[in-house]
């Protein structure tokens, strides 16, 4: 059964390896070029000198690091658009590999032959889904490691690892997204037993779940922290901390918003109150929560993946 399953699905597996090879041909040279420039600009040393505290008093050092970061961004910032492709890749796994797994068998009627040759539906489902999942997990892990390495200089020079997009292509969550997309595609194929509608359902479902988790759930995995500091410039947020700023503003002594963004230095004439209680107000998730958030989000998608496979197996056992 394992050998038969491998023979039926070896072409998609080899195609996935070919895609990984093409990605490596792009990621490796550009990644090496970014790291060389990152070190050449002195960004690593500059950020290391700032430490990881959320606030620092070294305003001149912060300004210097920001200037170097902007230079780096001007040269390589366009590569961030390539990260959008890496976000989309797991969805393509679900659409092109997961959805046809059952839907094609039913659409072509071959399931009647497959499931009457001494192999039970349960055994077929467990073997097919298990082997496909294993063949997907290995390249997904390689992809996650490679993209994390490639994206690190861009993230360090700009928003930090917890920010949108940066978080999605680093760590362990890309593997969880990929397996979830595969499971969703399989379930869609058992629900809508034609390949094209199943692919559309898988793509739409993946987009809805990912956006909902990213926008609604992720900022609330742990209670956000709040920090206030004076706009006079004696203290400033540390760009090397990796903190994920959720909201920021200037507030007066009564807590009312005066400006929608934090202000460092004197406020523009006519835009700030003279209230001596005026402060900058930041709501943020600390940068050191990166791996905690990674584990929480990977766990959410692991549970969703298991649930989808369970319901897919149940539906396979009821297909006429």
């Amino acid at each position: 059964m394992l050998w038969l399953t491998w023979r039926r699905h070896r072409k998609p597996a080899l195609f996935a390896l070919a895609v990984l090879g093409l990605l490596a041909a792009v990621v490796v040279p550009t990644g090496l070029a970014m790291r060389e420039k990152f070190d050449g600009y002195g960004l690593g040393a500059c950020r290391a000198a700032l430490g990881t505290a959320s606030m620092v008093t070294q305003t001149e050092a912060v300004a210097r690091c920001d200037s170097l970061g902007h230079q780096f961004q001007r040269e390589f910032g366009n590569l961030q658009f390539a990260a959008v492709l890496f976000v989309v890749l797991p969805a393509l796994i679900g659409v092109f590999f997961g959805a046809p797994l059952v839907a094609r068998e039913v659409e072509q009627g071959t399931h009647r032959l497959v499931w009457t040759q001494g192999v039970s539906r349960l055994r077929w489902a467990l073997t097919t889904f298990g082997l496909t999942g294993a063949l997907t997990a290995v390249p997904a892990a390689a992809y996650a490691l490679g993209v994390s390495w490639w994206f690190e200089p861009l993230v360090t020079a700009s928003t930090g690892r917890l920010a949108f997009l940066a978080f999605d292509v680093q760590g362990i969550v890309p593997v969880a997204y990929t397996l979830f997309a595969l499971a969703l595609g399989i379930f869609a194929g058992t629900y809508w037993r034609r390949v094209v509608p199943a692919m559309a359902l898988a793509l739409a479902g993946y987009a809805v779940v990912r956006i909902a988790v990213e926008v609604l759930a992720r900022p609330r995995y742990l209670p956000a922290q709040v920090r206030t500091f004076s706009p006079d410039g004696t203290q400033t947020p540390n760009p090397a901390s990796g903190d994920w700023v959720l909201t920021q503003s200037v507030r007066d002594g009564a807590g009312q918003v005066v400006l929608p963004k934090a202000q460092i230095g004197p406020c523009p004439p006519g835009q700030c109150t003279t209230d001596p209680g005026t402060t900058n107000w930041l709501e943020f998730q600390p940068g050191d929560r990166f791996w905690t958030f990674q584990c929480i989000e990977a766990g959410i998608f692991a549970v969703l993946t298991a649930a989808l496979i369970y319901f897919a197996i149940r539906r396979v056992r009821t297909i006429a």
Side-chain angles (χ1 to χ4, degrees), residues 14-26 89 138-140 142-144:
L14 294 175
F15 177 76
L17 289 176
V19 170
L20 279 179
L22 290 174
L23 287 176
V26 175
L89 275 178
V138 173
Y143 142 81

Side-chain angles (χ1 to χ4, degrees), residues 4-313:
L4 177 62
T5 303
W6 161 249
R7 284 181 62 86
R8 286 179 60 82
H9 301 290
R10 61 184 175 182
K11 286 185 178 179
L14 294 175
F15 177 76
L17 289 176
V19 170
L20 279 179
L22 290 174
L23 287 176
V26 175
V27 165
V28 171
T30 55
L32 291 173
M34 283 194 294
R35 287 171 178 272
E36 181 180 358
K37 284 290 186 178
F38 187 87
D39 293 335
Y41 281 134
L43 265 169
C46 183
R47 300 237 166 188
L50 291 177
T52 58
S54 294
M55 302 294 296
V56 292
T57 57
Q58 308 169 53
T59 53
E60 291 184 1
V62 169
R64 178 174 175 272
C65 283
D66 284 343
S67 176
L68 294 175
H70 291 152
Q71 292 181 49
F72 185 83
Q73 287 290 317
R74 281 197 297 270
E75 188 165 353
F76 294 102
N78 289 337
L79 289 177
Q80 292 188 10
F81 293 106
V84 177
L85 171 64
F86 298 135
V87 172
V88 173
L89 275 178
L92 300 182
I93 295 294
V95 169
F96 292 105
F97 295 167
L101 206 59
V102 175
R104 181 175 289 122
E105 298 278 5
V106 178
E107 188 175 32
Q108 296 176 351
T110 55
H111 66 294
R112 296 186 179 91
L113 176 64
V114 172
W115 296 338
T116 57
Q117 299 298 310
V119 178
S120 69
R121 297 184 183 210
L122 178 61
R123 182 184 172 192
W124 178 89
L126 290 174
T127 303
T128 302
F129 299 168
L131 183 59
T132 305
L135 291 174
T136 302
V138 173
Y143 142 81
L145 288 172
V147 175
S148 294
W149 172 84
W150 175 81
F151 208 51
E152 183 182 4
L154 282 171
V155 170
T156 305
S158 55
T159 55
R161 296 189 297 173
L162 278 173
F164 293 125
L165 186 63
F167 184 90
D168 302 330
V169 297
Q170 296 194 92
I172 59 177
V173 292
V175 180
Y177 298 155
T178 304
L179 293 177
F180 165 73
L182 179 69
L184 181 59
I186 292 171
F187 175 76
T190 65
Y191 181 81
W192 206 326
R193 300 164 195 175
R194 293 186 178 276
V195 174
V196 175
M199 293 169 73
L201 182 62
L203 182 60
Y206 180 84
V208 168
V209 174
R210 284 278 286 105
I211 292 172
V213 169
E214 183 160 335
V215 175
L216 301 177
R218 189 185 299 164
R220 299 172 176 84
Y221 287 158
L222 292 175
Q225 294 185 7
V226 173
R227 184 178 301 278
T228 60
F229 60 99
S230 173
D232 62 11
T234 56
Q235 275 196 322
T236 185
N238 182 4
S241 67
D243 293 344
W244 179 22
V245 177
L246 304 175
T247 56
Q248 56 179 318
S249 60
V250 176
R251 302 194 175 195
D252 60 23
Q256 299 299 313
V257 175
V258 178
L259 285 174
K261 279 196 171 185
Q263 176 73 32
I264 308 300
C267 292
Q271 295 189 36
C272 288
T273 178
T274 56
D275 189 332
T278 298
T279 58
N280 282 322
W281 188 90
L282 295 180
E283 183 183 27
F284 66 99
Q285 293 287 359
D288 59 10
R289 291 180 175 178
F290 174 78
W291 284 110
T292 301
F293 277 36
Q294 284 271 319
C295 291
I296 292 172
E297 190 151 316
I300 290 172
F301 280 94
V303 170
L304 291 175
T305 298
L308 286 167
I309 292 297
Y310 170 75
F311 288 115
I313 291 174

